[in-house]
C-alpha cells in the first residue's frame, strides 16, 4: 500500500510538471484555430502613453526621446510620466520636455506603480492607454502595431513583443531562451482566444476598461484578468516590439520572479471569476495550466524527488535509474557554482530552471505568510550605451 501511494505521488508530480511545460504547448497547437484578423493598419485613435518611473535618471531621457520619435501622429499621442517619488533627478529630466507635451505626475509619498496608475490614469485623454516602463525602448511602429487590433470590438487589451537585449551574462541568455518559449505560448494563446497576461513593458488597453487597482496589485496581470472577466479578449502582437535589458545576474532574476509570482497569485485569488470556464471559456484552462500549475511546480519537484528516493530505497531498479537521472540534473545545476563551468549552456540552463522554480516557491510562501509587495527597486544594470531600436 505504501509503495502504491509513493508511485501515485511520483507520477502525479511528474505528470503535472510534464503538463505545464510540455503537454500544454501541444494542446495549444491542437486547439488553436485560424482566426481572421480584424486589424486596421492605418487606424490612429488617440493614445496616452504612460511611463512609470522610480529613480530612472539613467534611462528616462532616452525613453522620452524614443517616445517622441514614435511613428504616430503627434496630435493623437499624449505622453505621461508617473514618477513614484523619484529622488535621483528623474523628474527634472522629464520637466525639460514639458514644452514638447510630456506631462509629469509626481506621486508622493512613494506607494508603487499600481497606486500611481489608479491615482493618475483618470487624467489620461486617449481612447487607448499604452503602458510602458522607463527602460523599454520601442521600435518606431510599436504603438501603431498595438492599436490596429482595437478595430475588433471584443479586443480589450493588446500585448506587445518584449525582446531582451543580448548581454554576456548567463542570466540574460537563460532569460532570453525562456522568453522565446513564453513568446511562442502567447502567439498560440492569441489564436485560441486570449493571451493570459500583459507585459508591463508594452501593452495597451481601452481606457474605459481600467478599474482602480489595490496598492499591491500587479498591474500587467490584474488589469488583463479584469478585462477578460468582463467578456473581452487580449491579443499578442509579435510585430509591436520593444527592447529591454534583463537583470544583471541570477540574484536579480530570482528576486524579480519571486515578486511576480507573489503578486500574480494574489491577483488570481482576488479575481476568482476568471477560473470559471462557463464565464471565460478556454481562458480558465490557459490560466490554470500556464500560470497556476507552473507556480506550484516547485512543490511537485520536491514531492517527486522525495517519492523517487523512497521508491529507490525499496530496491526498484527502475526508480533507482530515475533517481540517478534526478540527482544528475540537480548536480548539473549546482556546477554553476564552479567558476570555470558557469557559462556552459546545459549548466546555466539547468541552474536557471531551478532558480526560477525556487523563486516561484518563495513567492508562494510569501503569500502563505501574508507578505505582499507594492514597491521595489529596478533589477538591472546601468545601461552602458544607447539601445538601438534595430537591436536583435
Amino acid at each position: 500500500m505504501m509503495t502504491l501511494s509513493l508511485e501515485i505521488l511520483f507520477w502525479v508530480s511528474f505528470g503535472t510538471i510534464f503538463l505545464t511545460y510540455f503537454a500544454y504547448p501541444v494542446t495549444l497547437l491542437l486547439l488553436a484555430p485560424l482566426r481572421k484578423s480584424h486589424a486596421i493598419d492605418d487606424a490612429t485613435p488617440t493614445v496616452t502613453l504612460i511611463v512609470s518611473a522610480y529613480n530612472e535618471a539613467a534611462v528616462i531621457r532616452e525613453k522620452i526621446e524614443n517616445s517622441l520619435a514614435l511613428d504616430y501622429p503627434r496630435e493623437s499621442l499624449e505622453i505621461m510620466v508617473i514618477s513614484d517619488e523619484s529622488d535621483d533627478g528623474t523628474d527634472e529630466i522629464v520637466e525639460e520636455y514639458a514644452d514638447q507635451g510630456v506631462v509629469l505626475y509626481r506621486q508622493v509619498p512613494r506607494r508603487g506603480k499600481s497606486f500611481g496608475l489608479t491615482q493618475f490614469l483618470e487624467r489620461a485623454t486617449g481612447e487607448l492607454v499604452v503602458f510602458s516602463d522607463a527602460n523599454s525602448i520601442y521600435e518606431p511602429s510599436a504603438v501603431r502595431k498595438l492599436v490596429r487590433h482595437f478595430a475588433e470590438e471584443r479586443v480589450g487589451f493588446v500585448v506587445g513583443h518584449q525582446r531582451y537585449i543580448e548581454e554576456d551574462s548567463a542570466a540574460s541568455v537563460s532569460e532570453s531562451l525562456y522568453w522565446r518559449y513564453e513568446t511562442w505560448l502567447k502567439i498560440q494563446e492569441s489564436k485560441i482566444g486570449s493571451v493570459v497576461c500583459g507585459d508591463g513593458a508594452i501593452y495597451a488597453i481601452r481606457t474605459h476598461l481600467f478599474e482602480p487597482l489595490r496598492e499591491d496589485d500587479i498591474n500587467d496581470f490584474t488589469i488583463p484578468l479584469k478585462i477578460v472577466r468582463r467578456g473581452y479578449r487580449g491579443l499578442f502582437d509579435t510585430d509591436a516590439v520593444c527592447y529591454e535589458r534583463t537583470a544583471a545576474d541570477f540574484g536579480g532574476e530570482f528576486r524579480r520572479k519571486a515578486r511576480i509570482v507573489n503578486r500574480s497569485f494574489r491577483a488570481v485569488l482576488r479575481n476568482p471569476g476568471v477560473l470559471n470556464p462557463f464565464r471565460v471559456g478556454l481562458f480558465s484552462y490557459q490560466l490554470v495550466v500556464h500560470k497556476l500549475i507552473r507556480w506550484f511546480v516547485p512543490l511537485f519537484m520536491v514531492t517527486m524527488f522525495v517519492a523517487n528516493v523512497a521508491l529507490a530505497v525499496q530496491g526498484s531498479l527502475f526508480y533507482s535509474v530515475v533517481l540517478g537521472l534526478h540527482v544528475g540534473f540537480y548536480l548539473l545545476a549546482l556546477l554553476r557554482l564552479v567558476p570555470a563551468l558557469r557559462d556552459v549552456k546545459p549548466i546555466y540552463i539547468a541552474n536557471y530552471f531551478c532558480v526560477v522554480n525556487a523563486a516561484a516557491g518563495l513567492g508562494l510562501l510569501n503569500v502563505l505568510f501574508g507578505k505582499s509587495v507594492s514597491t521595489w527597486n529596478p533589477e538591472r544594470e546601468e545601461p552602458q550605451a544607447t539601445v538601438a531600436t534595430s537591436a536583435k
Side-chain angles (χ1 to χ4, degrees):
M1 187 65 181
M2 177 62 72
T3 299
L4 178 60
S5 298
L6 288 171
E7 288 184 328
I8 291 174
L9 181 61
F10 176 88
W11 288 108
V12 167
S13 300
F14 172 81
T16 306
I17 296 171
F18 183 84
L19 170 63
T20 190
Y21 281 107
F22 301 102
Y24 178 62
V26 174
T27 62
L28 290 182
L29 283 176
L30 295 176
L31 290 170
L34 292 176
R35 182 182 290 273
K36 182 178 179 181
S37 173
H38 296 280
I40 299 179
D41 289 333
D42 59 352
T44 55
T46 55
V47 173
T48 298
L49 174 63
I50 297 183
V51 180
S52 297
Y54 169 69
N55 283 356
E56 300 285 8
V59 297
I60 194 64
R61 186 181 300 279
E62 181 182 16
K63 176 60 178 177
I64 294 175
E65 295 284 357
N66 172 252
S67 301
L68 291 170
L70 291 171
D71 178 22
Y72 204 80
R74 191 66 190 87
E75 66 276 8
S76 299
L77 179 65
E78 176 186 39
I79 301 173
M80 291 173 49
V81 177
I82 301 177
S83 173
D84 195 14
E85 199 179 12
S86 297
D87 57 11
D88 69 337
T90 295
D91 297 0
E92 289 75 11
I93 295 173
V94 175
E95 289 173 337
E96 294 177 20
Y97 295 87
D99 60 349
Q100 298 185 55
V102 179
V103 182
L104 171 69
Y105 292 104
R106 179 172 171 82
Q107 178 172 264
V108 179
R110 186 182 181 211
R111 297 187 65 176
K113 182 176 181 178
S114 293
F115 188 87
L117 292 176
T118 297
Q119 183 177 7
F120 296 113
L121 191 139
E122 63 182 17
R123 307 187 191 187
T125 61
E127 302 166 66
L128 307 174
V129 171
V130 175
F131 299 100
S132 184
D133 293 328
N135 66 318
S136 304
I137 301 302
Y138 285 20
E139 285 195 345
S141 63
V143 171
R144 281 187 179 272
K145 299 295 186 183
L146 288 174
V147 306
R148 59 182 175 169
H149 298 284
F150 289 97
E152 184 179 339
E153 291 183 2
R154 300 319 297 172
V155 171
F157 68 97
V158 179
V159 185
H161 186 186
Q162 181 189 159
R163 294 182 183 176
Y164 283 106
I165 300 166
E166 298 295 342
E167 306 279 3
D168 293 332
S169 70
S172 177
V173 176
S174 300
E175 179 71 6
S176 295
L177 290 172
Y178 171 81
W179 201 249
R180 285 196 287 271
Y181 170 73
E182 283 294 308
T183 296
W184 185 88
L185 292 181
K186 290 177 181 180
I187 292 171
Q188 305 311 314
E189 288 172 344
S190 286
K191 291 179 181 178
I192 290 176
S194 183
V195 67
V196 172
C197 63
D199 186 327
I202 179 169
Y203 80 108
I205 70 168
R206 296 184 187 275
T207 306
H208 74 273
L209 294 179
F210 178 80
E211 297 179 19
L213 298 168
R214 293 174 54 149
E215 194 165 336
D216 60 346
D217 276 337
I218 179 169
N219 80 90
D220 56 357
F221 194 59
T222 300
I223 293 174
L225 289 183
K226 290 177 179 289
I227 290 174
V228 170
R229 188 191 63 198
R230 292 172 66 173
Y232 293 83
R233 60 190 290 250
L235 299 180
F236 176 70
D237 191 326
T238 57
D239 296 326
V241 177
C242 78
Y243 300 94
E244 200 170 285
R245 290 178 174 84
T246 59
D249 53 36
F250 280 98
E253 283 302 310
F254 183 90
R255 291 186 294 272
R256 186 174 73 88
K257 292 190 181 297
R259 183 175 68 241
I260 289 173
V261 171
N262 176 283
R263 304 178 83 209
S264 297
F265 187 70
R266 290 178 182 278
V268 175
L269 294 178
R270 292 168 181 169
N271 297 275
V274 293
L275 297 174
N276 183 353
F278 298 103
R279 184 171 185 176
V280 297
L282 281 172
F283 182 83
S284 61
Y285 165 73
Q286 297 170 235
L287 178 61
V288 168
V289 181
H290 187 178
K291 295 298 181 181
L292 278 178
I293 291 180
R294 187 182 294 184
W295 296 334
F296 281 92
V297 162
L299 172 63
F300 294 115
M301 289 171 67
V302 172
T303 57
M304 180 180 170
F305 185 78
V306 170
N308 194 177
V309 170
L311 289 165
V313 168
Q314 293 181 7
S316 168
L317 176 61
F318 173 77
Y319 288 107
S320 295
V321 172
V322 173
L323 180 60
L325 296 174
H326 221 146
V327 172
F329 175 78
Y330 290 120
L331 288 177
L332 185 68
L334 287 173
L335 283 177
R336 192 175 178 275
L337 298 175
V338 181
L341 300 176
R342 62 189 304 123
D343 292 330
V344 177
K345 181 172 287 190
I347 292 174
Y348 66 64
I349 290 177
N351 183 269
Y352 184 79
F353 179 83
C354 293
V355 167
V356 166
N357 281 290
L362 177 61
L364 290 177
L365 283 175
N366 285 337
V367 172
L368 180 64
F369 290 109
K371 181 179 179 180
S372 62
V373 182
S374 60
T375 63
W376 62 90
N377 294 320
E379 297 283 4
R380 58 178 179 270
E381 291 181 314
E382 296 296 320
Q384 301 300 314
T386 299
V387 180
T389 56
S390 59
K392 295 183 180 179

Short mmCIF file of all heavy atoms in Angstrom, two decimals, residues 93-128:
data_model
loop_
_atom_site.label_atom_id
_atom_site.label_comp_id
_atom_site.label_asym_id
_atom_site.label_seq_id
_atom_site.Cartn_x
_atom_site.Cartn_y
_atom_site.Cartn_z
N ILE A 93 14.63 65.80 -15.33
CA ILE A 93 14.86 65.47 -16.75
C ILE A 93 13.53 65.48 -17.50
O ILE A 93 13.43 66.03 -18.61
CB ILE A 93 15.54 64.09 -16.88
CG1 ILE A 93 16.94 64.15 -16.28
CG2 ILE A 93 15.60 63.65 -18.34
CD1 ILE A 93 17.63 62.79 -16.20
N VAL A 94 12.49 64.89 -16.91
CA VAL A 94 11.18 64.85 -17.56
C VAL A 94 10.66 66.27 -17.80
O VAL A 94 10.11 66.58 -18.87
CB VAL A 94 10.18 64.05 -16.71
CG1 VAL A 94 8.78 64.11 -17.33
CG2 VAL A 94 10.63 62.59 -16.57
N GLU A 95 10.85 67.15 -16.83
CA GLU A 95 10.34 68.52 -16.95
C GLU A 95 11.00 69.29 -18.07
O GLU A 95 10.44 70.27 -18.57
CB GLU A 95 10.53 69.24 -15.61
CG GLU A 95 9.57 68.73 -14.53
CD GLU A 95 9.85 69.31 -13.17
OE1 GLU A 95 11.01 69.75 -12.94
OE2 GLU A 95 8.93 69.32 -12.32
N GLU A 96 12.18 68.87 -18.50
CA GLU A 96 12.84 69.52 -19.63
C GLU A 96 12.04 69.37 -20.92
O GLU A 96 12.22 70.13 -21.87
CB GLU A 96 14.24 68.92 -19.84
CG GLU A 96 15.22 69.20 -18.72
CD GLU A 96 16.56 68.51 -18.97
OE1 GLU A 96 16.84 68.16 -20.14
OE2 GLU A 96 17.32 68.29 -18.00
N TYR A 97 11.15 68.38 -20.95
CA TYR A 97 10.37 68.10 -22.16
C TYR A 97 8.93 68.59 -22.06
O TYR A 97 8.10 68.25 -22.89
CB TYR A 97 10.39 66.60 -22.45
CG TYR A 97 11.75 66.06 -22.79
CD1 TYR A 97 12.63 65.64 -21.80
CD2 TYR A 97 12.17 66.00 -24.12
CE1 TYR A 97 13.89 65.15 -22.11
CE2 TYR A 97 13.43 65.51 -24.45
CZ TYR A 97 14.28 65.10 -23.44
OH TYR A 97 15.54 64.62 -23.76
N ALA A 98 8.65 69.44 -21.07
CA ALA A 98 7.29 69.93 -20.89
C ALA A 98 6.80 70.71 -22.10
O ALA A 98 5.63 70.61 -22.49
CB ALA A 98 7.23 70.81 -19.64
N ASP A 99 7.70 71.47 -22.75
CA ASP A 99 7.29 72.25 -23.91
C ASP A 99 7.04 71.39 -25.14
O ASP A 99 6.54 71.87 -26.16
CB ASP A 99 8.34 73.33 -24.23
CG ASP A 99 9.71 72.74 -24.55
OD1 ASP A 99 9.91 71.52 -24.32
OD2 ASP A 99 10.58 73.49 -25.04
N GLN A 100 7.37 70.09 -25.04
CA GLN A 100 7.08 69.15 -26.14
C GLN A 100 5.88 68.27 -25.80
O GLN A 100 5.61 67.28 -26.48
CB GLN A 100 8.30 68.29 -26.44
CG GLN A 100 9.51 69.10 -26.92
CD GLN A 100 10.68 68.21 -27.32
OE1 GLN A 100 10.54 67.32 -28.16
NE2 GLN A 100 11.83 68.44 -26.71
N GLY A 101 5.17 68.65 -24.75
CA GLY A 101 3.92 67.96 -24.42
C GLY A 101 4.06 66.78 -23.50
O GLY A 101 3.09 66.06 -23.26
N VAL A 102 5.24 66.57 -22.94
CA VAL A 102 5.43 65.46 -21.99
C VAL A 102 4.98 65.94 -20.61
O VAL A 102 5.48 66.95 -20.11
CB VAL A 102 6.90 65.00 -21.96
CG1 VAL A 102 7.07 63.87 -20.94
CG2 VAL A 102 7.35 64.56 -23.34
N VAL A 103 4.05 65.20 -20.02
CA VAL A 103 3.45 65.62 -18.74
C VAL A 103 4.00 64.76 -17.61
O VAL A 103 4.03 63.53 -17.70
CB VAL A 103 1.92 65.49 -18.80
CG1 VAL A 103 1.31 65.97 -17.49
CG2 VAL A 103 1.36 66.27 -19.98
N LEU A 104 4.44 65.41 -16.54
CA LEU A 104 4.95 64.71 -15.36
C LEU A 104 3.92 64.74 -14.24
O LEU A 104 3.37 65.79 -13.92
CB LEU A 104 6.24 65.37 -14.86
CG LEU A 104 6.76 64.87 -13.50
CD1 LEU A 104 7.26 63.43 -13.60
CD2 LEU A 104 7.87 65.79 -12.97
N TYR A 105 3.65 63.59 -13.67
CA TYR A 105 2.84 63.48 -12.47
C TYR A 105 3.71 62.84 -11.39
O TYR A 105 4.22 61.74 -11.58
CB TYR A 105 1.58 62.64 -12.70
CG TYR A 105 0.60 63.30 -13.63
CD1 TYR A 105 0.46 62.89 -14.95
CD2 TYR A 105 -0.19 64.36 -13.19
CE1 TYR A 105 -0.42 63.50 -15.80
CE2 TYR A 105 -1.09 64.99 -14.05
CZ TYR A 105 -1.20 64.55 -15.35
OH TYR A 105 -2.09 65.17 -16.20
N ARG A 106 3.87 63.52 -10.30
CA ARG A 106 4.73 63.04 -9.23
C ARG A 106 3.89 62.49 -8.08
O ARG A 106 3.01 63.18 -7.56
CB ARG A 106 5.63 64.16 -8.72
CG ARG A 106 6.57 63.75 -7.56
CD ARG A 106 7.55 64.85 -7.24
NE ARG A 106 8.31 64.56 -6.02
CZ ARG A 106 9.37 63.77 -5.96
NH1 ARG A 106 9.82 63.20 -7.06
NH2 ARG A 106 10.01 63.55 -4.82
N GLN A 107 4.16 61.26 -7.70
CA GLN A 107 3.44 60.61 -6.62
C GLN A 107 4.25 60.70 -5.33
O GLN A 107 5.39 60.25 -5.26
CB GLN A 107 3.20 59.14 -6.97
CG GLN A 107 2.50 58.36 -5.87
CD GLN A 107 2.11 56.97 -6.33
OE1 GLN A 107 0.98 56.74 -6.74
NE2 GLN A 107 3.05 56.03 -6.30
N VAL A 108 3.65 61.33 -4.31
CA VAL A 108 4.29 61.48 -3.01
C VAL A 108 3.25 61.18 -1.92
O VAL A 108 2.15 61.75 -1.94
CB VAL A 108 4.85 62.91 -2.81
CG1 VAL A 108 5.48 63.05 -1.44
CG2 VAL A 108 5.86 63.25 -3.91
N PRO A 109 3.56 60.30 -0.96
CA PRO A 109 4.80 59.53 -0.83
C PRO A 109 4.85 58.37 -1.82
O PRO A 109 3.86 58.10 -2.50
CB PRO A 109 4.74 59.03 0.62
CG PRO A 109 3.27 58.86 0.85
CD PRO A 109 2.63 60.02 0.14
N ARG A 110 5.96 57.68 -1.85
CA ARG A 110 6.13 56.55 -2.74
C ARG A 110 5.19 55.41 -2.34
O ARG A 110 5.22 54.93 -1.21
CB ARG A 110 7.59 56.05 -2.68
CG ARG A 110 7.87 54.97 -3.71
CD ARG A 110 9.28 54.46 -3.62
NE ARG A 110 9.50 53.44 -4.63
CZ ARG A 110 10.33 52.40 -4.51
NH1 ARG A 110 11.04 52.28 -3.41
NH2 ARG A 110 10.45 51.52 -5.47
N ARG A 111 4.36 54.97 -3.31
CA ARG A 111 3.38 53.92 -2.99
C ARG A 111 3.27 52.85 -4.07
O ARG A 111 2.38 52.02 -4.03
CB ARG A 111 2.01 54.55 -2.72
CG ARG A 111 2.02 55.49 -1.53
CD ARG A 111 0.64 55.97 -1.16
NE ARG A 111 -0.22 54.90 -0.70
CZ ARG A 111 -1.46 55.11 -0.25
NH1 ARG A 111 -1.94 56.34 -0.19
NH2 ARG A 111 -2.21 54.10 0.13
N GLY A 112 4.18 52.87 -5.03
CA GLY A 112 4.19 51.81 -6.02
C GLY A 112 3.48 52.16 -7.32
O GLY A 112 2.70 53.11 -7.40
N LYS A 113 3.76 51.37 -8.34
CA LYS A 113 3.26 51.61 -9.68
C LYS A 113 1.74 51.52 -9.77
O LYS A 113 1.10 52.37 -10.39
CB LYS A 113 3.91 50.60 -10.63
CG LYS A 113 3.53 50.75 -12.10
CD LYS A 113 4.30 49.75 -12.92
CE LYS A 113 4.00 49.87 -14.40
NZ LYS A 113 4.80 48.90 -15.22
N SER A 114 1.16 50.51 -9.17
CA SER A 114 -0.29 50.31 -9.29
C SER A 114 -1.07 51.45 -8.66
O SER A 114 -2.08 51.92 -9.21
CB SER A 114 -0.69 48.97 -8.65
OG SER A 114 -0.15 47.89 -9.40
N PHE A 115 -0.62 51.92 -7.51
CA PHE A 115 -1.29 53.05 -6.87
C PHE A 115 -1.18 54.29 -7.74
O PHE A 115 -2.13 55.05 -7.88
CB PHE A 115 -0.69 53.32 -5.49
CG PHE A 115 -1.45 54.33 -4.69
CD1 PHE A 115 -2.51 53.95 -3.89
CD2 PHE A 115 -1.11 55.68 -4.74
CE1 PHE A 115 -3.23 54.88 -3.15
CE2 PHE A 115 -1.83 56.63 -4.01
CZ PHE A 115 -2.89 56.22 -3.21
N GLY A 116 0.00 54.48 -8.36
CA GLY A 116 0.19 55.63 -9.23
C GLY A 116 -0.74 55.59 -10.43
O GLY A 116 -1.30 56.62 -10.84
N LEU A 117 -0.93 54.43 -11.02
CA LEU A 117 -1.84 54.31 -12.16
C LEU A 117 -3.27 54.63 -11.73
O LEU A 117 -4.00 55.33 -12.45
CB LEU A 117 -1.77 52.90 -12.74
CG LEU A 117 -0.45 52.51 -13.42
CD1 LEU A 117 -0.49 51.06 -13.88
CD2 LEU A 117 -0.15 53.43 -14.60
N THR A 118 -3.67 54.13 -10.59
CA THR A 118 -5.03 54.39 -10.10
C THR A 118 -5.22 55.88 -9.84
O THR A 118 -6.29 56.45 -10.12
CB THR A 118 -5.29 53.60 -8.81
OG1 THR A 118 -5.22 52.20 -9.11
CG2 THR A 118 -6.65 53.92 -8.23
N GLN A 119 -4.19 56.53 -9.33
CA GLN A 119 -4.30 57.95 -8.97
C GLN A 119 -4.34 58.86 -10.20
O GLN A 119 -5.07 59.86 -10.22
CB GLN A 119 -3.13 58.34 -8.07
CG GLN A 119 -3.19 59.78 -7.57
CD GLN A 119 -2.05 60.09 -6.63
OE1 GLN A 119 -1.14 59.30 -6.44
NE2 GLN A 119 -2.09 61.27 -6.02
N PHE A 120 -3.56 58.52 -11.24
CA PHE A 120 -3.38 59.47 -12.34
C PHE A 120 -3.97 59.04 -13.68
O PHE A 120 -4.10 59.87 -14.59
CB PHE A 120 -1.89 59.75 -12.53
CG PHE A 120 -1.24 60.43 -11.36
CD1 PHE A 120 -0.29 59.77 -10.59
CD2 PHE A 120 -1.60 61.72 -11.00
CE1 PHE A 120 0.31 60.39 -9.51
CE2 PHE A 120 -1.00 62.35 -9.92
CZ PHE A 120 -0.05 61.68 -9.17
N LEU A 121 -4.34 57.78 -13.86
CA LEU A 121 -4.82 57.37 -15.18
C LEU A 121 -6.11 58.06 -15.57
O LEU A 121 -6.37 58.27 -16.75
CB LEU A 121 -5.01 55.84 -15.22
CG LEU A 121 -5.26 55.26 -16.61
CD1 LEU A 121 -4.51 53.96 -16.81
CD2 LEU A 121 -6.76 55.03 -16.86
N GLU A 122 -6.89 58.48 -14.57
CA GLU A 122 -8.14 59.18 -14.89
C GLU A 122 -7.88 60.49 -15.63
O GLU A 122 -8.80 61.06 -16.23
CB GLU A 122 -8.93 59.44 -13.62
CG GLU A 122 -8.24 60.36 -12.63
CD GLU A 122 -9.05 60.57 -11.35
OE1 GLU A 122 -9.96 59.77 -11.10
OE2 GLU A 122 -8.74 61.54 -10.63
N ARG A 123 -6.65 60.98 -15.60
CA ARG A 123 -6.32 62.22 -16.31
C ARG A 123 -5.90 61.96 -17.76
O ARG A 123 -5.65 62.91 -18.51
CB ARG A 123 -5.21 62.96 -15.58
CG ARG A 123 -5.51 63.21 -14.10
CD ARG A 123 -4.49 64.09 -13.44
NE ARG A 123 -4.66 64.11 -11.99
CZ ARG A 123 -3.98 64.88 -11.16
NH1 ARG A 123 -3.07 65.72 -11.65
NH2 ARG A 123 -4.18 64.83 -9.85
N ALA A 124 -5.80 60.70 -18.13
CA ALA A 124 -5.42 60.37 -19.50
C ALA A 124 -6.54 60.77 -20.45
O ALA A 124 -7.73 60.57 -20.17
CB ALA A 124 -5.15 58.87 -19.62
N THR A 125 -6.18 61.35 -21.58
CA THR A 125 -7.17 61.82 -22.54
C THR A 125 -7.36 60.88 -23.73
O THR A 125 -8.28 61.05 -24.51
CB THR A 125 -6.74 63.20 -23.10
OG1 THR A 125 -5.48 63.08 -23.77
CG2 THR A 125 -6.61 64.22 -21.97
N GLY A 126 -6.49 59.87 -23.86
CA GLY A 126 -6.57 58.98 -25.02
C GLY A 126 -7.69 57.96 -24.92
O GLY A 126 -8.09 57.55 -23.82
N GLU A 127 -8.17 57.53 -26.08
CA GLU A 127 -9.15 56.44 -26.13
C GLU A 127 -8.51 55.13 -25.67
O GLU A 127 -9.17 54.26 -25.11
CB GLU A 127 -9.67 56.26 -27.55
CG GLU A 127 -10.33 57.47 -28.17
CD GLU A 127 -10.51 57.31 -29.66
OE1 GLU A 127 -11.30 56.42 -30.06
OE2 GLU A 127 -9.85 58.03 -30.43
N LEU A 128 -7.21 55.03 -25.92
CA LEU A 128 -6.44 53.86 -25.53
C LEU A 128 -5.29 54.30 -24.64
O LEU A 128 -4.80 55.43 -24.76
CB LEU A 128 -5.88 53.13 -26.75
CG LEU A 128 -6.86 52.74 -27.85
CD1 LEU A 128 -6.11 52.15 -29.03
CD2 LEU A 128 -7.90 51.75 -27.33
#
